[in-house]
C-alpha cells in the first residue's frame, strides 16, 4: 500500500517538477511548482514528520508561491514570451545528467543500517513530532533560531529598500 | 519496503531537474522557481536521512532552510522588480554587468 | 738609457686626443695644425736622439717594458717597445715624413669643414703606426696594425658625404680585415707551435731566439708564414688584396701621401722584416712572396700606363713599387727591401704632395672660373712648368729618382733589389727579367705623367688657364725637403760594387744577418755580372723615358693611334684587368645574396615570426580566458554546476 502511494506521489512530483522547467508560461510553471510542494508535503507525512509537512504547505506553497505569483502578475508579462525561452539546452541537459549520475552514486541499494539514534518510530507516535521538534529547536538550537529571526527581519527591510520606488 | 534509498534517489532526480531548469530557462522568475525545486529536493534528503538515522538535527536543518528560502524569496523577487524597472526585461541574458 | 722611447708614440696620441676633444672649440686653423705638427716634430726629435744613441751603442737590441698587460698561465704579455736598427729606421721615416706631411696639410686642408677632425685622425694614425713599428711583441704590433687600418678608413672616408669616398673607405677596411684575419691565424698557429715545444711567448726577441725549435721548411712554418704574408698582402696592397688602394685615392692627398705611400702600406714589409727568421726558415713561402711581389709589380705597372687621373697613376705606381719590396723580401734581400722602403717613402711622398699641389692649384683655377672639370685629370693639364716652378722642379727630381736614373736615391735601392733577384740563392733570373720590364714601364708612365702635366701646350680650359697659382710655403717647403731627400737619400746605402761602403746594409745587419747566414741567403756573382745588370737596367729606364718623350712631347698624336690599334688590350688595361669585376662576381655578390636570403627567409620569417608568435599566443590566451567573465548568469551557473559535478564525482569515484 505504502509502496504504491510512494511511487504514485513520486511520479507526480517528478512530472510536475519537469513541467516547472518545461512550461513557456511562468504562471504554468508556478502552478506546477505548487503541485511539487504538495507532493513533498505528502512525503514528509510518509516520513512521520507531520510538522514538516504543515510548515512546507504554509511557508512554501502558501507564502512563497503567493509572493511569486504576485510578482509575475505585477510585472505583467503574462503573454507568452516571443522567440526562444531556453538557452544552452544541450549543455544544461548534459550537466544535469552528469549531476544525477554523480549524486546517485551515494545511493547504495541493499541493506542500509540505521545508526540507531534515539528518535524511533515508537517515540514519534508517543510524544508527537511537533513536541520533539520544539524541544530540539528551543533547547539545543535556540541561538540559530534567534538569528533566523533577525535574518527574516533584515530580509524584510532589504526587500523594502530594493523594491522601493524612487520618488 | 520503502527504504531511505528510495527517497535519496528521488531527491537526486528532483535536484537534477531543478539544475536543468536553472541552466536552461531565460526567464528570471522561472529560474528562481527551479532553485526552489532544488532546495526542496535537498529538504527531502535531510528529512529522509534524519528519519533513518533517528536524529532530530536533520529536521532542524530543514526548518532553517525553509526560513532562509523565504527570506531569499523576498529579497530575490524585490531585486527582480528593481531590474524590471530598469530594463523592462527579465531575461537573464540581459543581466550581464557582472564582469570586468 | 732609452727610457724616453715611449714619448715617440705618446706625442701624436696626445695630439689626437687634444684635437679630437677640443678641436671643435679651437676655431683657429693655425693652432690646430700647429699643435699636430709640433707634436709630430717633437716625436721626430726624440726618434733622432734615440737613433744616434743606438748608432753609438754596441748592443743593438733594446727592449723597453712599459707595463705588464696580462699573465695567463705560462704566457706573460707586456706593453713593451723594441728598439733595434730596423725599428730605428722606421721611426725616423714615419716621424720625419709624417711631420712634413702634417706641415703640408695645414695649407692644403685650409678652409675644410672638419679641419680639426683631419688632424686628430692624422695624429691617431701616426700613433698607431709608431706602435706598430715599435711594438715589442706581436700583440702590441697588432694594436698598431688594426689602428692604422681604422685610421685609414677614417681618413679615406674623410669626405664622408660623398658616396664614392665612403664606399672606398669601406672597401679598404673590409679588404684589410681579410688580411688581418691571416695575421691572426699566423700568430695563433705560431703561438701554439712554440707552446708545443714548451716556449710560451709572443715577444719578438724570444720568438727569434726560439725559432730554431720549429722544423725548417716544414709544413707548420710554411703555414704560419703564409698566414702572416696574407696579412701583409692586405695591408700592403699586393695580389690578391690590392683592389682597395686605387679607390683609396678618394681621400685627401696628404692622406694618400702619408698612408698610402710612405707608411701604412709599408707595414707589411716591416712585418716580414721583423719576423725574417721565420720567413727565412720557409723557402716555399719566400718563393711565393717573390712571385706575388713580381706579379703585382707587373700588373700594377701595366694598369698605371693607361690611367688619366694623376693620383691613380701614382697609386698604381705605389702598388708596383711595393711589389718590388716584396720581391726583395722574397729573395732574401731584407735590407734592400727596407732600403727601398725608405727611398720610396721620400720620393713617393714628394710625388703625391706635388700632385696635391697641382690639384689644389687646378681646383683654385676652376673655382675661380666657375667650371666643374675634373682637377685631377691629366688631360686637362699641361704646360704647368712655368706656372708652378717649385712644384715642377721637386716633382721632376722625384720622378727621376723613381725611374732609377743613376745617382738618385731610387737607383741605388732598385738596383740592389735587381741584383739580388738575379743572383740570390733564393732568386731566379726570371724575377730579374720581370723586374727590369717593370722598371722600364715605371720610367715610361712616370715621365708620361710629368710630360702631360708640366710640359707641352696648356690644355686647360681657356677661362681657367691664367689663374693657376703656385702654392703657399706650407706646401712647397715640405716638397723641397722631400725632393732633397729623394736625391741624396740613397747615399747611405751605396753598395760596394759601386765604391760605397753600404752603411745602410751594415746598420741593418744585426737584424737580418743571422737569418741570412743561417739559411745561406746571399747574392753571389762576380762584379762583372753586377755591372752588366746595372747597365742593362739603366738603359731600359732611359729607353722608357725616351719613349715617353716621343709619345707625349714630340708626336702627341701617337698615343691615340696606339690605343686605336691595340684597342682591346688598352681597354683591358684601362679597366684594371677587370679584377674588381671578378671579385664582385666571386665574392661580393654571393655574400650579398646570402645576406638577402638570411634576411628574407630567416630574419623576417623565423625571428619576426617568433616574436609575433609570442604576441599572438598572448592574444589567443586572452581571448580564450575572456569567456570566464561574460557577465551572463547562465555561464556562471554552468561553471558552478560543472565544479560541483567534478568535486563530488572525484570524491565518489576515488
Amino acid at each position: 500500500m505504502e509502496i504504491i502511494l510512494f511511487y504514485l506521489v513520486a511520479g507526480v512530483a517528478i512530472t510536475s517538477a519537469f513541467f516547472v522547467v518545461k512550461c513557456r508560461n511562468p504562471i504554468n510553471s508556478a502552478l506546477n511548482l505548487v503541485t511539487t510542494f504538495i507532493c513533498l508535503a505528502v512525503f514528509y507525512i510518509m516520513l512521520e514528520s507531520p510538522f514538516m509537512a504543515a510548515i512546507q504547505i504554509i511557508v512554501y506553497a502558501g507564502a512563497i508561491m503567493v509572493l511569486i505569483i504576485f510578482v509575475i502578475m505585477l510585472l505583467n508579462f503574462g503573454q507568452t514570451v516571443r522567440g526562444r525561452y531556453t538557452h544552452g539546452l544541450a549543455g544544461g541537459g548534459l550537466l544535469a545528467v552528469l549531476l544525477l549520475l554523480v549524486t546517485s552514486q551515494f545511493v547504495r541499494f541493499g541493506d542500509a543500517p540505521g545508526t540507531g539514534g534515539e528518535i524511533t518510530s515508537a517515540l514519534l507516535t508517543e510524544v508527537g513530532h511537533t513536541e520533539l521538534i520544539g524541544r530540539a529547536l528551543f533547547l539545543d538550537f535556540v541561538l540559530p533560531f534567534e538569528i533566523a529571526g533577525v535574518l527574516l527581519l533584515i530580509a524584510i527591510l532589504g526587500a523594502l529598500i530594493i523594491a522601493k520606488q524612487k520618488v | 519496503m520503502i527504504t531511505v534509498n528510495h527517497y535519496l534517489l528521488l531527491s537526486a532526480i528532483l535536484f537534477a531537474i531543478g539544475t536543468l531548469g536553472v541552466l536552461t530557462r531565460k526567464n528570471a522568475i522561472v529560474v528562481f522557481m527551479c532553485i526552489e525545486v532544488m532546495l526542496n529536493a535537498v529538504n527531502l534528503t535531510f528529512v529522509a536521512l534524519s528519519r533513518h538515522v533517528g536524529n532530530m538535527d536533520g529536521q532542524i536543518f530543514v526548518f532553517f532552510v525553509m526560513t532562509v528560502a523565504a527570506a531569499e524569496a523576498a529579497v530575490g523577487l524585490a531585486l527582480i522588480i528593481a531590474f524590471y524597472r530598469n530594463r523592462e526585461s527579465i531575461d537573464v541574458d540581459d543581466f550581464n554587468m557582472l564582469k570586468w | 738609457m732609452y727610457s724616453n722611447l715611449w714619448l715617440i708614440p705618446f706625442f701624436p696620441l696626445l695630439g689626437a686626443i687634444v684635437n679630437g676633444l677640443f678641436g671643435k672649440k679651437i676655431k683657429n686653423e693655425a693652432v690646430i695644425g700647429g699643435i699636430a705638427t709640433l707634436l709630430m716634430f717633437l716625436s721626430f726629435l726624440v726618434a733622432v736622439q734615440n737613433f744616434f744613441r743606438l748608432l753609438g751603442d754596441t748592443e743593438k737590441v733594446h727592449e723597453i717594458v712599459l707595463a705588464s698587460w696580462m699573465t695567463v698561465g705560462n704566457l706573460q704579455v707586456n706593453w713593451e717597445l723594441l728598439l733595434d736598427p730596423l725599428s730605428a729606421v722606421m721611426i725616423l721615416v714615419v716621424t720625419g715624413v709624417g711631420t712634413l706631411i702634417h706641415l703640408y696639410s695645414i695649407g692644403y686642408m685650409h678652409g675644410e669643414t672638419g679641419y680639426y677632425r683631419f688632424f686628430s685622425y692624422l695624429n691617431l694614425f701616426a700613433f698607431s703606426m709608431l706602435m706598430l713599428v715599435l711594438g715589442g711583441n706581436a700583440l702590441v704590433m697588432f694594436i698598431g696594425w688594426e689602428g692604422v687600418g681604422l685610421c685609414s678608413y677614417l681618413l679615406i672616408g674623410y669626405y664622408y658625404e660623398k658616396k664614392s669616398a665612403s664606399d672606398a673607405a669601406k672597401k679598404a677596411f673590409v679588404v684589410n680585415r681579410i688580411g688581418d684575419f691571416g695575421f691572426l691565424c699566423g700568430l695563433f698557429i705560431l703561438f701554439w707551435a712554440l707552446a708545443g715545444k714548451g716556449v710560451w711567448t709572443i715577444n719578438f726577441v724570444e720568438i727569434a731566439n726560439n725559432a730554431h725549435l720549429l722544423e725548417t721548411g716544414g709544413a707548420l712554418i710554411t703555414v704560419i708564414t703564409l698566414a702572416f704574408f696574407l696579412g701583409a698582402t692586405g695591408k700592403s696592397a699586393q695580389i690578391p688584396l690590392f683592389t682597395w688602394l686605387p679607390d683609396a685615392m678618394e681621400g685627401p692627398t696628404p692622406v694618400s701621401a702619408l698612408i698610402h705611400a710612405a707608411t701604412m702600406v709599408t707595414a707589411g714589409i716591416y712585418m716580414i722584416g721583423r719576423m725574417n727568421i721565420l720567413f727565412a726558415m720557409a723557402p716555399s713561402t719566400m718563393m711565393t712572396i717573390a712571385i706575388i711581389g713580381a706579379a703585382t709589380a707587373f700588373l700594377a705597372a701595366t694598369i698605371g700606363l693607361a690611367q688619366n687621373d694623376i693620383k691613380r697613376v701614382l697609386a698604381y705606381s705605389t702598388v708596383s713599387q711595393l711589389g718590388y719590396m716584396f720581391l726583395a723580401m722574397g729573395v732574401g734581400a731584407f735590407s734592400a727591401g727596407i732600403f727601398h722602403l725608405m727611398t720610396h717613402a721620400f720620393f713617393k711622398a714628394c710625388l703625391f704632395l706635388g700632385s696635391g699641389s697641382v690639384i689644389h692649384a687646378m681646383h683654385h683655377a676652376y673655382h675661380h672660373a666657375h667650371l666643374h672639370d675634373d682637377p685631377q685629370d691629366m688631360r686637362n693639364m699641361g704646360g704647368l712648368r712655368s706656372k708652378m716652378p717649385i712644384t715642377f722642379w721637386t716633382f721632376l727630381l722625384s720622378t727621376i729618382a723613381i725611374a732609377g736614373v743613376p745617382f738618385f736615391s731610387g737607383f741605388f735601392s732598385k738596383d740592389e733589389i735587381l741584383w739580388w733577384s738575379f743572383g740570390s740563392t733564393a732568386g731566379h733570373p726570371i724575377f730579374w727579367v720581370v723586374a727590369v720590364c717593370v722598371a722600364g714601364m715605371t720610367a715610361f708612365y712616370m715621365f708620361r705623367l710629368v710630360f702631360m702635366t708640366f710640359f707641352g701646350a696648356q690644355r686647360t680650359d681657356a677661362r681657367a688657364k691664367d689663374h693657376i697659382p703656385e702654392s703657399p710655403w706650407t706646401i712647397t717647403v715640405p716638397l723641397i725637403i722631400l725632393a732633397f731627400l729623394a736625391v741624396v737619400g740613397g747615399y747611405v746605402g751605396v753598395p760596394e760594387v759601386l765604391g760605397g761602403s753600404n752603411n745602410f746594409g751594415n746598420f741593418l745587419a744585426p737584424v737580418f744577418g743571422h737569418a741570412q747566414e743561417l739559411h745561406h741567403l746571399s747574392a753571389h756573382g762576380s762584379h762583372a755580372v753586377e755591372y752588366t745588370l746595372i747597365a742593362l737596367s739603366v738603359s731600359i729606364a732611359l729607353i722608357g723615358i725616351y719613349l715617353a718623350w716621343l709619345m707625349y712631347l714630340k708626336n702627341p698624336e701617337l698615343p691615340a693611334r696606339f690605343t686605336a690599334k691595340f684597342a682591346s688590350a688598352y681597354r683591358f688595361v684601362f679597366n684594371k684587368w677587370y679584377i674588381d669585376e671578378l671579385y664582385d662576381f666571386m665574392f661580393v655578390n654571393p655574400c650579398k645574396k646570402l645576406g638577402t636570403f638570411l634576411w628574407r627567409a630567416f630574419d623576417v620569417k623565423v625571428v619576426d615570426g617568433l616574436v609575433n608568435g609570442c604576441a599572438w599566443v598572448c592574444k589567443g590566451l586572452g581571448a580564450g580566458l575572456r569567456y570566464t567573465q561574460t557577465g551572463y548568469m547562465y555561464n556562471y551557473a554552468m561553471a558552478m554546476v560543472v565544479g560541483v559535478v567534478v568535486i563530488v564525482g572525484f570524491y565518489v569515484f576515488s
Side-chain angles (χ1 to χ4, degrees), chain C residues 264-281:
Chain C
M264 182 178 108
V265 294
T266 56
I269 320 275
Y270 167 77
M271 189 260 294
I272 295 183
R274 173 59 66 213
M275 300 208 225
N276 62 79
I277 302 253
L278 292 176
F279 281 92
M281 282 166 66

Side-chain angles (χ1 to χ4, degrees), chain C residues 296-317:
Chain C
T296 311
F298 184 77
L299 184 133
T302 53
I303 301 180
L305 289 178
Q307 299 301 312
N308 286 321
D309 184 322
I310 196 173
K311 279 177 77 174
R312 293 268 157 140
V313 176
L314 291 175
Y316 284 107
S317 165

